[in-house]
């Protein structure tokens, strides 16, 4: 659609440039160093600029818009995720906290089949606080009526999901690497659709 093959030898060539910069941009966004608009503009502008493509702001934003639309239609979950979330929801509140963009997250959650099992969805864009700022975690704790030592936190990113100021029982073992690999694969598939 955007003739990316004109500028990149392969999808892996594109993704190798894109993924590193995209990760940096999300970290900068989490820390409040850049805006949502800057992230959206830069993540596709950067790889195209690296290969000499005549990238404009409008083109970068169009690619990003198409990417967000494609991403929001992806519904594949980590194996058994639905069953685990459903089971947990029968015993305690389940809350998702995300720095992801509001509309994309709501669409993904609705299409994933997880929504009926979630007590709350806390999106940084809606509350005005990004992870890992402790206040977003405190907000979620308030919503579910729990103390830090009463919750189990499952995260796929150390930078945005774990904070030294927040005392929770961490679920962190080899499955985190599996989750990261699955998320990376889903991200690659969405980008490849462009």
């Amino acid at each position: 659609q955007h003739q990316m093959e004109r500028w990149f030898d392969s999808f892996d060539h594109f993704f190798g440039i894109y993924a590193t910069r995209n990760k940096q941009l999300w970290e900068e966004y989490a820390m409040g160093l850049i805006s949502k608009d800057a992230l959206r503009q830069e993540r596709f502008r950067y790889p195209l600029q690296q290969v000499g493509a005549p990238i404009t702001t409008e083109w970068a934003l169009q690619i990003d818009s198409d990417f967000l639309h494609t991403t929001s239609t992806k519904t594949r979950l980590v194996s058994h995720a639905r069953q685990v979330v459903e089971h947990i929801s029968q015993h305690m509140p389940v809350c998702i906290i995300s720095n992801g963009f509001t509309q994309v997250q709501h669409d993904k959650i609705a299409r994933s089949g997880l929504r009926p099992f979630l007590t709350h969805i806390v999106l940084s864009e809606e509350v005005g606080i990004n992870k890992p700022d402790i206040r977003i975690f405190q907000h979620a704790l308030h919503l579910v009526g729990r103390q830090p030592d009463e919750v189990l936190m499952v995260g796929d990113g150390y930078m945005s999901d774990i904070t030294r100021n927040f005392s929770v029982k961490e679920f962190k073992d080899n499955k985190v690497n599996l989750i990261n690999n699955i998320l990376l694969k889903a991200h690659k598939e969405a980008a490849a659709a462009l």
Side-chain angles (χ1 to χ4, degrees):
Q1 178 179 354
H2 294 285
Q3 299 179 348
M4 301 293 259
E5 66 280 356
R6 182 173 171 201
W7 304 102
F8 298 97
D9 298 333
S10 65
F11 176 75
D12 288 337
H13 178 212
F14 160 76
F15 199 75
I17 300 169
Y18 165 85
T20 301
R21 183 64 179 136
N22 188 55
K23 182 176 185 239
Q24 292 169 342
L25 291 166
W26 276 102
E27 288 172 0
E28 291 172 16
Y29 178 71
M31 301 306 292
L33 301 175
I34 62 170
S35 68
K36 170 186 173 180
D37 290 339
L39 186 156
R40 291 188 64 209
Q41 207 174 94
E42 176 68 7
R43 67 174 159 185
F44 288 103
R45 186 198 63 77
Y46 179 80
L48 284 159
Q49 186 179 50
Q50 297 307 301
V51 294
I55 185 72
T56 63
T57 298
E58 294 76 22
W59 187 25
L61 288 173
Q62 184 59 55
I63 295 170
D64 186 75
S65 179
D66 293 344
F67 173 77
L68 291 176
H69 172 73
T70 301
T71 300
S72 70
T73 66
K74 300 297 178 188
T75 60
R76 184 176 25 192
L77 298 172
V78 174
S79 181
H80 305 293
R82 186 181 183 284
Q83 295 89 339
V84 170
V85 172
E86 181 178 5
H87 177 75
I88 292 170
S89 73
Q90 295 169 4
H91 304 282
M92 64 186 67
V94 177
C95 177
I96 288 183
I97 306 171
S98 175
N99 283 349
F101 303 145
T102 299
Q103 193 55 51
V104 173
Q105 295 307 312
H106 282 296
D107 289 349
K108 285 169 72 172
I109 291 166
R111 288 183 171 119
S112 74
L114 293 178
R115 185 63 188 107
F117 312 114
L118 303 176
T119 311
H120 297 283
I121 300 170
V122 177
L123 301 177
S124 60
E125 195 173 5
E126 293 177 343
V127 298
I129 306 165
N130 286 346
K131 297 185 303 176
D133 189 312
I134 192 169
R135 294 174 298 162
I136 197 167
F137 298 104
Q138 290 168 333
H139 177 71
L141 285 172
H142 174 75
L143 289 174
V144 298
R146 298 283 197 251
Q147 295 299 311
D149 62 351
E150 299 174 315
V151 301
L152 172 66
M153 183 173 157
V154 179
D156 64 355
Y158 186 83
M159 172 63 192
S160 61
D161 292 323
I162 309 300
T163 173
R164 291 185 182 105
N165 299 321
F166 193 64
S167 174
V168 297
K169 299 172 191 171
E170 292 181 31
F171 174 81
K172 194 158 172 77
D173 62 17
N174 291 334
K175 289 189 171 104
V176 171
N177 288 329
L178 174 63
I179 291 168
N180 281 333
N181 289 338
I182 290 169
L183 290 172
L184 180 62
K185 183 177 179 187
H187 199 76
K188 282 177 105 172
E189 288 174 3
L194 297 174

